[in-house]
Amino acid sequence: MSGERSTRTRIQLPYWLHGSVQTAFLLVLTLVVLAPLLIMFVATFQDGNDVIRRGLSFDVDLGSLSLDNYVMLFTDSGPYFRWFANSILLTVVQVAGTLLVSSFVAYGFAVYDFKGKTALFIAVLLLMAVPFEIMMLPLYVLVNDVGLADSYSVIVLPFLAASVTIFYFRQYFLGIPKDLLEAGRMDGATEFGIFFKIVVPVAKPAFAAMAILNGMIIWNNFLWPLLVLRSESKFTLPIGLNTLLTPHENNYELLIIGSMFSLLPVLVLFLLFQRFFVAGMTAGALKG
């Protein structure tokens, strides 16, 4: 009949089939993500020179696998665990400092009104668009002029106010009801008391998300520590592993198994805060 609208028939997949397709897709995606880690884990049981010569793959001779690399790591790895401890110390201190300072700055942008607030926040946004490599040279000259080279303070202090972290916290804090803050003031709480007793507990997901992201960035930081650190005893793990490859001698065994062990702190960090991570990232995207 003319005038009748054509209708489309929607085919509804059975529930079990829909669930099976989702499970299969996620399983394949998981295997794709984990395959490089599994290959690297297998390589830790192989001779380093063979791995470099033949490349990383699952095609290995099972009879050639051994625990020699693990024995070497815990008995004759030189300064490896010193580098490992240096990286852990710097990561913990810098993550804690970055979360504290950046959240303070973000709280000021989100809660208070002051002259020049908009201009300062635009400057923070502009810093997000500036690559660190552009600021690296003048910062390096400044570090040498004030005599702070070859110290951990110069690695930590310049990056405590991280623009990305400030922006994220500011967006999150904008979603906190102002009435909640006013209630704290009426109860006689100081501004620091309001921040630590009211804002921080509410923003736990945001702090967890930023702890993971900043922790991964700081743990893998290579270029800036390479420029300012000169003593081998102060090297971080990425720099120390890089020194294993020289024109005279290459320690591939320690490089491979050391790189594998360097993944553990990031994995532990994510496992500790994973229940907050998704909530923090989602809330931060929706607030503000």
Side-chain angles (χ1 to χ4, degrees), residues 5-178:
R5 295 182 178 179
S6 59
T7 58
R8 294 182 179 179
T9 304
R10 298 184 61 183
I11 301 176
Q12 186 69 32
L13 293 177
Y15 179 78
W16 65 268
L17 180 59
H18 186 269
S20 300
V21 171
Q22 283 187 328
T23 302
F25 173 76
L26 293 176
L27 181 61
V28 171
L29 186 62
T30 301
L31 291 176
V32 170
V33 173
L34 292 181
L37 296 178
L38 295 176
I39 293 175
M40 188 174 178
F41 177 70
V42 173
T44 61
F45 297 94
Q46 301 175 258
D47 180 79
N49 292 311
D50 291 340
V51 172
I52 299 300
R53 183 167 53 250
R54 299 173 55 187
L56 293 169
S57 70
F58 284 120
D59 184 18
V60 298
D61 180 12
L62 296 180
S64 65
L65 301 182
S66 69
L67 295 174
D68 292 345
N69 293 340
Y70 288 86
V71 174
M72 179 269 299
L73 176 67
F74 291 103
T75 60
D76 189 26
S77 59
Y80 175 81
F81 285 103
R82 177 61 182 268
W83 301 335
F84 200 97
N86 293 342
S87 288
I88 289 180
L89 174 64
L90 282 174
T91 300
V92 171
V93 171
Q94 191 168 347
V95 166
T98 300
L99 293 182
L100 181 64
V101 174
S102 298
S103 62
F104 276 169
V105 176
Y107 183 72
F109 280 125
V111 175
Y112 302 114
D113 291 321
F114 52 90
K115 188 176 181 179
K117 172 182 175 180
T118 302
L120 289 174
F121 187 66
I122 291 175
V124 172
L125 296 179
L126 291 176
L127 282 175
M128 294 173 58
V130 178
F132 171 70
E133 288 75 11
I134 296 178
M135 301 182 291
M136 183 172 59
L137 182 57
L139 185 59
Y140 178 71
V141 173
L142 176 62
V143 165
N144 282 300
D145 288 343
V146 299
L148 290 177
D150 199 28
S151 66
Y152 290 150
S153 59
V154 77
I155 298 178
V156 175
L157 294 178
F159 309 103
L160 292 181
S163 56
V164 175
T165 308
I166 292 173
F167 174 75
Y168 180 85
F169 275 130
R170 185 254 186 186
Q171 297 303 105
Y172 198 99
F173 292 158
L174 285 175
I176 298 178
K178 298 297 188 295

Side-chain angles (χ1 to χ4, degrees), residues 163-220:
S163 56
V164 175
T165 308
I166 292 173
F167 174 75
Y168 180 85
F169 275 130
R170 185 254 186 186
Q171 297 303 105
Y172 198 99
F173 292 158
L174 285 175
I176 298 178
K178 298 297 188 295
D179 294 341
L180 188 63
L181 306 182
E182 290 299 329
R185 294 188 180 99
M186 292 179 63
D187 288 339
T190 63
E191 293 301 313
F192 283 103
I194 292 173
F195 181 81
F196 286 108
K197 295 180 181 180
I198 298 178
V199 176
V200 171
V202 172
K204 278 184 180 180
F207 279 90
M210 288 298 99
I212 292 175
L213 294 181
N214 281 283
M216 290 190 297
I217 293 172
I218 296 168
W219 178 260
N220 294 310

